Amino acid sequence: MISKKIESALNEQIALEAYASFLYLAMASWCNREGLDGCASFMHRQSDEERAHMLRIYTYLAETDGFALTPAIAQPPHEYDSVQAMFEKVYAHEQKVTQSINDLLSLSYAENDHSTLNFLQWYVEEQREEEALMRNILNKIRLIGSGGQSLYYIDKEVDKLNKTAIAQESTEEEN
């Protein structure tokens, strides 16, 4: 059985993951409008991934006799000054999620909840990977620069990263 404090904190995490899913979906729409098909595909996959993170917590709460709440989601921003500004927003959001996971770990330690500590380890690794990926994309954007031709190359680089991630996921599913 899970404590009410942990249940409440995990429900807050559900809301954060749900918001991320909608944020990335809104970003995908912006990318589509801007002709950044590779970035749009990347953001669609990120949105799906965030929803899966949310559902993972739903399942965990059910397994531990907790109750998952379906959160109300605030309208995410849907306009960006540039692809770089958009990815800076993504990186900042991933950092916020990492901090939230760290806070959940601290609470789990304080509550002596070893099951939740174990459950959250997956998120610790996932957030390290997410932050590294977004930092890598931002570094590529800074290297490529801005402008029409640069946007073309940025879109191709993000698309390549997305296709690599999809291929890795397929390989992991087969094994």
Side-chain angles (χ1 to χ4, degrees):
M1 183 150 162
I2 197 163
S3 77
K4 290 298 176 188
K5 271 184 168 177
I6 298 286
E7 179 182 313
S8 177
L10 287 171
N11 273 305
E12 288 175 21
Q13 189 66 33
I14 285 172
L16 194 57
E17 301 288 349
Y19 178 80
S21 179
F22 280 95
L23 174 65
Y24 299 157
L25 192 59
M27 289 174 170
S29 181
W30 181 83
C31 290
N32 279 329
R33 189 186 69 209
E34 298 298 313
L36 300 167
D37 297 336
C39 290
S41 293
F42 176 84
M43 287 301 173
H44 275 287
R45 190 178 59 74
Q46 289 298 116
S47 176
D48 290 346
E49 189 174 292
E50 297 300 333
R51 183 174 185 279
H53 296 175
M54 177 192 72
L55 292 175
R56 192 178 184 110
I57 300 170
Y58 263 76
T59 301
Y60 178 75
L61 281 170
E63 290 171 348
T64 57
D65 202 26
F67 187 77
L69 299 174
T70 304
I73 307 298
Q75 174 69 51
H78 55 274
E79 292 293 335
Y80 301 92
D81 293 332
S82 66
V83 71
Q84 181 173 343
M86 182 188 72
F87 274 104
E88 285 170 352
K89 178 92 173 159
V90 170
Y91 184 51
H93 186 75
E94 290 298 339
Q95 290 174 316
K96 179 179 178 178
V97 171
T98 298
Q99 184 57 56
S100 181
I101 295 296
N102 289 338
D103 292 345
L104 277 166
L105 283 163
S106 296
L107 178 60
S108 298
Y109 276 116
E111 293 281 308
N112 202 26
D113 184 341
H114 299 283
S115 177
T116 301
L117 279 168
N118 185 53
F119 170 73
L120 291 171
Q121 292 309 306
W122 181 88
Y123 286 89
V124 170
E125 179 68 18
E126 180 68 16
Q127 283 310 119
R128 184 193 57 75
E129 291 171 5
E130 289 295 317
E131 281 194 38
L133 174 62
M134 297 315 163
R135 194 171 39 254
N136 182 28
I137 290 171
L138 279 170
N139 287 339
K140 286 184 184 307
I141 290 171
R142 288 182 190 112
L143 283 170
I144 294 170
S146 59
Q149 278 187 330
S150 297
L151 281 176
Y152 175 80
Y153 290 111
I154 289 166
D155 192 52
K156 292 296 175 199
E157 283 297 312
V158 172
D159 191 41
K160 189 174 9 172
L161 287 170
N162 191 45
K163 287 177 179 169
T164 300
I166 290 168
Q168 286 175 339
E169 290 167 4
S170 294
T171 302
E172 290 171 4
E173 288 174 8
E174 290 172 6
N175 294 333

